[in-house]
Amino acid sequence: MSDVRDRVIETFSEEHYQTRDNLLELSDAIDEGDLDRAEELVHEVNGDAGPHFQYEEDSLYPALIPFFGEEKVKELVAEHDEAIEAARTLAELTAQDELTEEEKQEALRAIPDIMVHVSDCEGLIVYLEKADDEVFEDIQESIDEAHEQGLTLTEYDDNVRPSPEEIVA
């Protein structure tokens, strides 16, 4: 494998594992009523997921069209929609001084909406590995640009996120 291919795959996977760990810790913090820690973790996930979603939608998802077709890639984008909504819910809830039992359960139900994206997306590596080196160079460029911009997930969604049609174009 080429160096750029290895870097892309390593970055992609490391970000998924970091998000998984943060979400598991977030679940524990919410369950224990530690909203200060929960809010910190939501902020971290929001910050990490912004560039990740950005480069996925900019270059990785379009590269998957030959493997899955446009409709399946649009489904992946719809998973992003669910994860973004869950992140917004978690940010709103964890910013409070305390949660009712109902709010606590709402927060705990939101976490799997992000977690399912992490697990499903990680599996895409199996297909992505079959792409040409040029695809990996494009993805690496997109990774670098997204990390340089450093938009949070909500900033990305609110300000620069393309429509599903633009992603598969």
Side-chain angles (χ1 to χ4, degrees), residues 12-13 15-21 23-24 52-53 56 61 68 72 76 79-80 83 111-127:
F12 190 64
S13 289
E15 290 175 358
H16 286 145
Y17 286 110
Q18 181 64 46
T19 300
R20 176 209 59 197
D21 292 347
L23 291 171
L24 291 172
H52 186 84
F53 277 39
E56 282 182 342
Y61 283 2
F68 297 118
K72 181 60 181 173
L76 293 170
E79 273 187 21
H80 275 188
I111 293 171
D113 288 340
I114 303 171
M115 191 70 88
V116 73
H117 169 70
V118 171
S119 62
D120 288 354
C121 196
E122 182 62 21
L124 298 175
I125 291 288
V126 174
Y127 297 95

Side-chain angles (χ1 to χ4, degrees), residues 16-142:
H16 286 145
Y17 286 110
Q18 181 64 46
T19 300
R20 176 209 59 197
D21 292 347
N22 284 338
L23 291 171
L24 291 172
E25 189 176 342
L26 173 61
S27 180
D28 290 343
I30 291 169
D31 202 40
E32 295 164 3
D34 186 352
L35 290 181
D36 289 337
R37 181 66 183 138
E39 187 175 20
E40 289 173 19
L41 288 161
V42 168
H43 181 71
E44 191 170 330
V45 168
N46 191 27
D48 292 344
H52 186 84
F53 277 39
Q54 187 173 353
Y55 75 74
E56 282 182 342
E57 292 183 352
D58 180 53
S59 61
L60 191 137
Y61 283 2
L64 292 171
I65 292 171
F67 298 104
F68 297 118
E70 289 181 9
E71 287 309 308
K72 181 60 181 173
V73 171
K74 286 181 183 179
E75 289 175 25
L76 293 170
V77 174
E79 273 187 21
H80 275 188
D81 294 337
E82 291 172 16
I84 291 166
E85 184 60 35
R88 288 184 191 280
T89 296
L90 288 165
E92 181 181 309
L93 292 170
T94 59
Q96 299 177 166
D97 292 333
E98 61 182 78
L99 297 178
T100 65
E101 186 58 33
E102 184 177 306
E103 290 169 328
K104 178 180 172 182
Q105 293 308 312
E106 181 181 1
L108 292 172
R109 283 191 305 271
I111 293 171
D113 288 340
I114 303 171
M115 191 70 88
V116 73
H117 169 70
V118 171
S119 62
D120 288 354
C121 196
E122 182 62 21
L124 298 175
I125 291 288
V126 174
Y127 297 95
L128 187 61
E129 287 177 327
K130 292 294 188 181
D132 296 331
D133 284 343
E134 286 179 20
V135 169
F136 283 93
E137 290 168 9
D138 289 343
I139 295 170
Q140 184 62 57
E141 184 177 312
S142 183

